[in-house]
Amino acid sequence: LSVAVVEKGDLGSGTSQTSSKLIHGGLRYLEQMEFGLVFEGTRERALLMRNAPHLARPLPFIFPVYRTARVGMLQVSIGMWAYDVLAMFRNYRRHRMLTRGRLMRTEPTLNDTGLRGGALYSDCMTDDARLTLESALDAEEHGAVIATRCEAKSFLKDEAGRTRGLLVRDLLDDQGLTGEGQASEPFEVKARVTVVAAGPWTDALLEPRLGRKLLRPTKGAHLVLDGPRLPVQHAVVLTSVQDGRVLFAIPWGARTIVGTTDTDEQDSPDACEASRADVDYL
């Protein structure tokens, strides 16, 4: 294949640098009986750990169970076995159920009030921006042309209305970083197949062509704290005190990430940021 990639920002500058860093099989989806989604997630996780072992590493998780929780130790144990089975036992390690005392020795920062015990299981985390960058560099090494700071403006169409490429604008010219600083004229990039991989920007590109929206955009905000402010040795599964949603506290180098929210978002992804309400919720 002859391949060209256009990216309006830097590689990994959007969603791919602000994720939870998790490559997880979707344990939370078991409760919704989304077994196919869990199977797909665990399969993709195994592929990534095999293809990029320097970027995807195992991450131990603690799932504490409290007396006030909507699921007890038995349900959690059943869920953990289902998680191992759907992963075809390709998890880094099989889960272990822990008593209250063993759990507190494993993760001393847990709140021990009403704690009954819990589970220790494995998932995976990655350096998301670096994974994005290395994927592009590998593509370039195999002959792809990668152009950053180039924005796809619209589609090229033939007489039959079929997509035959993109109209692209060089944003560096517009910013005066090359040439005379004048707004650059869009140029054509012709292709037999055009793939839109624009994430939350998909509707901005496709709605004019389709006449309808494809997405219901939502925002997931995280808190990034200095590690000593929330010192966790494992990723910890949390439950929101407001609405019972599953959240995570994740060790990330010298930091701890807490997230994520999930709220409808009408603003452009370019203007998306954590609000005061997001911070208070987390």
Side-chain angles (χ1 to χ4, degrees):
L1 299 176
S2 175
V3 177
V5 178
V6 294
E7 157 63 53
K8 77 170 185 175
D10 290 322
L11 292 169
S13 62
T15 310
S16 297
Q17 70 169 346
T18 51
S19 77
S20 299
K21 321 299 178 188
L22 298 180
I23 306 294
H24 61 87
L27 179 66
R28 68 173 73 179
Y29 302 126
L30 281 178
E31 193 173 359
Q32 283 80 45
M33 312 292 280
E34 295 277 1
F35 300 123
L37 196 59
V38 176
F39 179 76
E40 179 185 2
T42 54
R43 182 186 60 197
E44 291 296 319
R45 182 188 63 192
L47 285 172
L48 184 59
M49 292 184 70
R50 186 181 70 198
N51 293 339
H54 62 301
L55 294 180
R57 62 177 179 84
L59 178 66
F61 274 73
I62 290 290
F63 192 119
V65 178
Y66 290 89
R67 289 194 182 93
T68 56
R70 63 175 180 266
V71 294
M73 290 288 287
L74 178 59
Q75 292 98 318
V76 170
S77 178
I78 293 171
M80 289 295 166
W81 277 113
Y83 199 46
D84 283 343
V85 169
L86 288 169
M88 299 177 69
F89 295 100
R90 290 177 299 196
N91 291 333
Y92 179 68
R93 287 194 179 98
R94 293 185 189 179
H95 78 277
R96 286 187 292 144
M97 300 301 294
L98 303 179
T99 63
R100 179 181 182 277
R102 183 71 181 272
L103 197 60
M104 289 304 301
R105 290 192 294 272
T106 303
E107 190 56 69
T109 55
L110 286 175
N111 179 7
D112 62 354
T113 303
L115 182 64
R116 299 179 59 192
L120 174 65
Y121 70 99
S122 293
D123 243 317
C124 181
M125 76 180 307
T126 189
D127 184 331
D128 48 6
R130 186 177 169 194
L131 177 63
T132 304
L133 178 60
E134 288 202 15
S135 297
L137 291 173
D138 191 51
E140 188 175 57
E141 190 173 307
H142 286 80
V145 176
I146 312 292
T148 57
R149 302 285 173 170
C150 284
E151 183 179 14
K153 299 298 295 180
S154 60
F155 295 98
L156 301 177
K157 291 181 282 187
D158 62 16
E159 294 81 1
R162 291 172 297 197
T163 300
R164 287 293 180 253
L166 290 170
L167 199 62
V168 176
R169 194 179 73 197
D170 185 344
L171 299 181
L172 290 181
D173 271 352
D174 294 355
Q175 295 171 9
L177 299 180
T178 63
E180 300 300 321
Q182 302 297 318
S184 61
E185 290 295 323
F187 59 93
E188 295 183 351
V189 179
K190 295 181 179 179
R192 289 193 300 270
V193 176
T194 301
V195 178
V196 177
W201 288 269
T202 296
D203 280 337
L205 196 58
L206 288 182
E207 187 181 5
R209 179 171 175 81
L210 300 178
R212 60 187 177 88
K213 291 183 179 292
L214 297 177
L215 305 180
R216 176 187 168 184
T218 61
K219 177 180 65 173
H222 301 83
L223 298 181
V224 182
L225 307 173
D226 286 330
R229 294 188 64 189
L230 188 63
V232 290
Q233 301 173 29
H234 308 73
V236 180
V237 180
L238 309 172
T239 303
S240 167
V241 296
Q242 290 190 22
D243 56 11
R245 283 189 68 252
V246 173
L247 307 172
F248 298 103
I250 305 160
W252 183 51
R255 307 284 187 264
T256 300
I257 299 173
V258 179
T260 175
T261 63
D262 185 16
T263 54
D264 288 312
E265 180 63 39
Q266 300 304 320
D267 290 339
S268 164
D270 294 303
C272 188
E273 60 184 21
S275 66
R276 181 74 250 178
D278 293 328
V279 174
D280 291 343
Y281 174 86
L282 293 173

